[in-house]
Amino acid sequence: MNIASNNQLEGLNSKELAKARRKEGRLFFNLSLPSLITILIVVFIPVFWLSSLSFFDRAGDFSWENYERIFQSQLYIKTFIVTLKISFITLFFCILLGYPLCYWLSQLPNRLASILMIFVLLPFWTSILVRTYAWLVILQRNGIINDTLLSIGWIGEPLQLAHNLTGSIIGMVHILLPFFILPLFASMRSIDNNFIRAAISLGSTPRGAFWRVFFKMSLPGFFAGTVLVFVLALGTYVTPALLGGGKIQMLAQRIDSTIMLYSNWGAASALGVVLLILAFAVIWIFNRAFGIDKLFMR
Amino acid sequence: MSNTDNENHKSLPIGIKGLSKSYGDVYALENVSLDIKAGEFITLLGPSGSGKTTLLMTIAGFCSPDQGSIYFGQQEMTMTPPHMRGLGMVFQNYALFPFMSVAENVGYPLRVRGMTEADQKSKIEAALEMVQLGGYGERRIHQLSGGQKQRVALARAMVFEPKIILMDEPLSALDKKLREHMQIELKALHQKLEATIVYVTHDQREALTMSDRIAVINNGRLVQVDAPKALYDNPNDLFVADFIGESVLLQLENSIKGLTLRGKPLKMTNPQPKGENPHCLVIRPELLVMSDSKNDSLNDLSGIVSASVYQGESVLVMVDLGDNIKINVRLPANKSQSSNIIPDVGKPIHLGLHAEDVIIVKGRVE
């Protein structure tokens, strides 16, 4: 038998074998079916339905007024600026605290590193609400920090740590830091020590080898963590609501008040759509700017 | 620089004196001293965990010894950080930077040394030519095959003309055929470069193929340092005899007349050792002569064929000598010789060992 006749799928058992392959393909599809249906029902349909609300005014007619209001009202524009500002500051501190910590963890022996990672993950085991109230107790005017600093005389009057931007950011960094550390740690752990040794043996100083090789090879995890933190920060609600003391209005809070106070679903939906677009834009820009997909290629 | 016989512009000798390193109460290196000549291809050979990699990493400066000193030429290097040692190094898993192209990888040591782009370019291309990868500069690392990656790693380690190149099992990830091809190529490359090469492997055949000298390491100690042929023909130690080649060790008995093999006096051309020390006979499978009848001029072993395995170029016959001792005989798969017909299992057979081929080492078989 020659190859040509094989290609025509007329060989011995070829029909039965092709059928078996199709059956296997169907089986794998069936395995993913429950999750596909769930995602369709709880994610895509609600998002689509809620988004569609933004294109109708209160009378139920099609209109752009919900979007026009967002881009004309100073209040909304200010909300966007505050949201972006807080998200960037939070990201900045997550990188500042997370990268060195991750580097240190990645250089430890396996056992010790996994024990210490439990401490990084510990906050996940309590609810965000509880943790945020805990920060309030610590940061408020007569909280632990102010009491301590006053009693040892480092400050004359209490620092304003809660009910403002500072408080919101402290809380958000605390909550989002693990999301930065997890992908970065995985990325750093996968960097073989021989890469660094190779760079050093070829004449790099240890510092040079770190920046030229280790840092570059940690970038996939770095960007994954960055995108995760930034996108999650954009949609934060509880933390700025409690630790911001009403002075900090982020997008999620604005959406909440639009519904709760004014019961304007169309306007709230428009804000939600803009938030969603913003999140996608961030991911897209990161991908274009740093070529994450290229970095993952080995 | 003093221009003595063993020091020139292309290579440096390495002097290792009294090097020790322990992890807890286990010695990775125990008082290792070794003089490596300039331009020599020396292989550190040993089983895994023998300390050969620790020794290489200590020469490279990545592992700090507990005591001892390392010299490159006249200069002591023991305290010099690894990036100041000017060594080329090739790693087992290549350690090519995945986010750089082939040319960027090879150019890395030049870039670090602040060489201009134009100078870099010609050097990179020359280095790639040297490993037969001319024109591959723009390729990404993931587009290369295992053998090509290894060549790029070689080019990167030699592009800045280091006087010493260290290699840590560089061929172990390649398949057998490619590995054997690369061994020959590496040896040819060494002759062109004239640099001192320290090569680590656990593969004794690889060591025998490539090295000027082989340093056998076991349990952190240097057991024997010799040229391949000397090492194979005259192992001075039970471990070396066992580790190099497919040997079988047979215990010899001491008697008034000298050493005896299974009750019969051992015929050997070299003078027999004096004294009461226990000795072993090292039997290489290719040295035995198989026949149906006993040949009185040879040392004779008789046994029963327990299995024979056709291996392409040769036939391996396992012979049971009784007392739970089995030895292997390798026969060339040569149709013209009638003596090389594959024997049937269960057939009684005589194995002869020429007096010239007798190798004995001190020690007792465990």
Side-chain angles (χ1 to χ4, degrees), chain B residues 249-265:
Chain B
L249 300 173
L250 284 184
Q251 189 64 54
L252 295 167
E253 305 92 33
N254 291 307
S255 76
I256 335 144
K257 287 188 214 159
L259 296 170
T260 59
L261 170 63
R262 296 171 79 75
K264 286 165 276 182

Side-chain angles (χ1 to χ4, degrees), chain A:
Chain A
M1 195 201 296
N2 60 26
I3 294 166
S5 70
N6 255 341
N7 283 344
Q8 285 158 6
L9 291 175
E10 284 165 1
L12 188 64
N13 276 339
S14 63
K15 280 197 184 120
E16 289 76 7
L17 288 167
K19 200 174 150 193
R21 272 196 297 278
R22 277 197 302 276
K23 192 178 167 192
E24 193 172 78
R26 263 201 313 279
L27 190 71
F28 278 116
F29 180 75
N30 289 346
L31 280 174
S32 62
L33 213 55
S35 56
L36 280 177
I37 291 171
T38 312
I39 287 174
L40 188 73
I41 293 174
V42 306
V43 179
F44 281 98
I45 293 174
V47 165
F48 185 76
W49 177 69
L50 277 171
S51 311
S52 66
L53 288 178
S54 65
F55 298 104
F56 299 98
D57 61 17
R58 291 199 175 204
D61 299 322
F62 180 83
S63 98
W64 290 102
E65 76 164 24
N66 290 321
Y67 289 97
E68 280 161 8
R69 184 162 349 109
I70 289 175
F71 294 107
Q72 278 158 7
S73 152
Q74 281 299 314
L75 192 67
Y76 283 121
I77 290 172
K78 205 179 146 221
T79 307
F80 276 110
I81 291 171
V82 167
T83 306
L84 286 172
K85 186 171 113 183
I86 291 184
S87 300
F88 271 118
I89 297 174
T90 303
L91 176 62
F92 174 77
F93 281 107
C94 280
I95 294 171
L96 201 68
L97 296 172
Y99 199 92
L101 177 71
C102 244
Y103 178 68
W104 177 67
L105 281 174
S106 73
Q107 301 305 305
L108 291 175
N110 266 328
R111 253 185 84 82
L112 192 57
S114 17
I115 291 168
L116 289 171
M117 272 311 272
I118 293 173
F119 288 99
V120 172
L121 298 176
L122 210 58
F124 278 138
W125 300 350
T126 47
S127 87
I128 292 184
L129 198 65
V130 171
R131 280 184 277 157
T132 307
Y133 272 116
W135 275 113
L136 206 57
V137 172
I138 294 167
L139 297 174
Q140 65 193 337
R141 252 186 104 73
N142 49 0
I144 298 165
I145 291 180
N146 274 324
D147 279 358
T148 312
L149 290 179
L150 278 171
S151 68
I152 56 174
W154 281 19
I155 49 171
E157 54 186 272
L159 297 170
Q160 190 64 41
L161 293 172
H163 307 299
N164 60 6
L165 187 70
T166 315
S168 303
I169 286 173
I170 291 173
M172 281 176 69
V173 169
H174 163 79
I175 282 157
L176 294 176
L177 196 55
F179 292 99
F180 183 73
I181 288 175
L182 280 176
L184 183 60
F185 178 74
S187 191
M188 283 183 177
R189 268 258 104 115
S190 69
I191 302 173
D192 191 326
N193 211 2
N194 273 353
F195 286 115
I196 316 304
R197 282 179 169 170
I200 291 174
S201 77
L202 295 168
S204 275
T205 57
R207 186 187 296 263
F210 175 83
W211 286 111
R212 280 168 186 267
V213 177
F214 187 89
F215 179 71
K216 283 214 173 130
M217 293 187 77
S218 73
L219 283 182
F222 179 85
F223 289 134
T226 299
V227 168
L228 214 53
V229 166
F230 195 77
V231 168
L232 286 172
L234 283 179
T236 332
Y237 173 78
V238 175
T239 311
L242 290 176
L243 288 169
K247 295 189 202 85
I248 302 298
Q249 278 284 321
M250 285 181 74
L251 212 49
Q253 293 158 268
R254 183 68 66 201
I255 293 173
D256 178 59
S257 58
T258 310
I259 294 168
M260 291 305 184
L261 298 179
Y262 313 112
S263 158
N264 188 345
W265 283 83
S269 160
L271 281 171
V273 169
V274 173
L275 181 61
L276 196 65
I277 291 171
L278 211 57
F280 277 130
V282 168
I283 295 170
W284 185 77
I285 289 168
F286 261 92
N287 205 9
R288 285 308 294 262
F290 305 109
I292 298 172
D293 44 354
K294 263 188 223 138
L295 283 167
F296 280 109
M297 275 197 307
R298 286 284 163 95

Side-chain angles (χ1 to χ4, degrees), chain B residues 208-279:
Chain B
L208 292 171
T209 308
M210 300 166 76
S211 324
D212 294 328
R213 280 196 304 161
I214 298 171
V216 183
I217 299 179
N218 188 34
N219 291 331
R221 263 177 297 191
L222 223 49
V223 190
Q224 187 173 3
V225 185
D226 245 322
K229 188 161 165 49
L231 202 65
Y232 193 81
D233 292 345
N234 296 306
N236 64 9
D237 178 279
L238 208 60
F239 172 79
V240 178
D242 192 34
F243 191 65
I244 310 271
E246 301 170 87
S247 354
V248 175
L249 300 173
L250 284 184
Q251 189 64 54
L252 295 167
E253 305 92 33
N254 291 307
S255 76
I256 335 144
K257 287 188 214 159
L259 296 170
T260 59
L261 170 63
R262 296 171 79 75
K264 286 165 276 182
L266 181 71
K267 303 181 184 78
M268 59 187 290
T269 44
N270 289 332
Q272 288 213 350
K274 302 267 184 286
E276 288 293 296
N277 290 321
H279 280 81

Side-chain angles (χ1 to χ4, degrees), chain B residues 47-291:
Chain B
S48 58
S50 59
K52 57 189 193 300
T53 301
T54 307
L55 180 55
L56 192 81
M57 288 301 162
T58 311
I59 296 173
F62 291 118
C63 171
S64 144
D66 297 337
Q67 49 181 299
S69 60
I70 296 168
Y71 285 85
F72 292 173
Q74 303 297 321
Q75 203 180 355
E76 169 144 25
M77 285 287 176
T78 321
M79 300 297 162
T80 311
H83 66 278
M84 310 274 278
R85 296 195 183 194
L87 300 166
M89 203 159 172
V90 182
F91 294 87
Q92 186 173 6
N93 50 5
Y94 321 125
L96 295 171
F97 308 130
F99 52 90
M100 293 182 193
S101 70
V102 168
E104 285 168 333
N105 261 288
V106 177
Y108 187 91
L110 306 176
R111 228 161 33 250
V112 172
R113 285 167 173 75
M115 190 181 277
T116 61
E117 286 278 331
D119 289 350
Q120 276 185 37
K121 221 173 161 192
S122 60
K123 287 245 182 196
I124 292 167
E125 198 45 44
L128 285 175
E129 285 295 345
M130 195 88 143
V131 294
Q132 298 167 24
L133 281 179
Y136 276 67
E138 295 313 307
R139 300 276 180 101
R140 307 299 304 182
I141 297 305
H142 65 89
Q143 293 172 315
L144 303 178
S145 69
Q148 288 170 334
K149 282 182 191 164
Q150 195 50 70
R151 284 160 204 255
V152 175
L154 277 172
R156 187 178 67 175
M158 65 184 207
V159 68
F160 59 107
E161 291 162 19
K163 291 173 182 169
I164 297 166
I165 302 178
L166 309 180
M167 301 189 182
D168 184 12
E169 309 214 15
L171 305 181
S172 60
L174 304 178
D175 62 65
K176 186 169 179 284
K177 201 163 179 180
L178 191 57
R179 193 162 65 230
E180 282 166 2
H181 175 75
M182 286 297 289
Q183 286 168 8
I184 308 295
E185 217 169 278
L186 253 176
K187 199 161 166 62
L189 198 63
H190 170 237
Q191 264 148 20
K192 261 190 264 177
L193 293 171
E194 294 174 40
T196 310
I197 294 184
V198 185
Y199 191 97
V200 162
T201 187
H202 63 266
D203 182 342
Q204 41 108 359
R205 183 175 281 275
E206 192 166 292
L208 292 171
T209 308
M210 300 166 76
S211 324
D212 294 328
R213 280 196 304 161
I214 298 171
V216 183
I217 299 179
N218 188 34
N219 291 331
R221 263 177 297 191
L222 223 49
V223 190
Q224 187 173 3
V225 185
D226 245 322
K229 188 161 165 49
L231 202 65
Y232 193 81
D233 292 345
N234 296 306
N236 64 9
D237 178 279
L238 208 60
F239 172 79
V240 178
D242 192 34
F243 191 65
I244 310 271
E246 301 170 87
S247 354
V248 175
L249 300 173
L250 284 184
Q251 189 64 54
L252 295 167
E253 305 92 33
N254 291 307
S255 76
I256 335 144
K257 287 188 214 159
L259 296 170
T260 59
L261 170 63
R262 296 171 79 75
K264 286 165 276 182
L266 181 71
K267 303 181 184 78
M268 59 187 290
T269 44
N270 289 332
Q272 288 213 350
K274 302 267 184 286
E276 288 293 296
N277 290 321
H279 280 81
C280 290
L281 177 65
V282 182
I283 300 178
R284 309 276 190 210
E286 71 278 9
L287 296 179
L288 290 168
V289 181
M290 198 166 72
S291 66

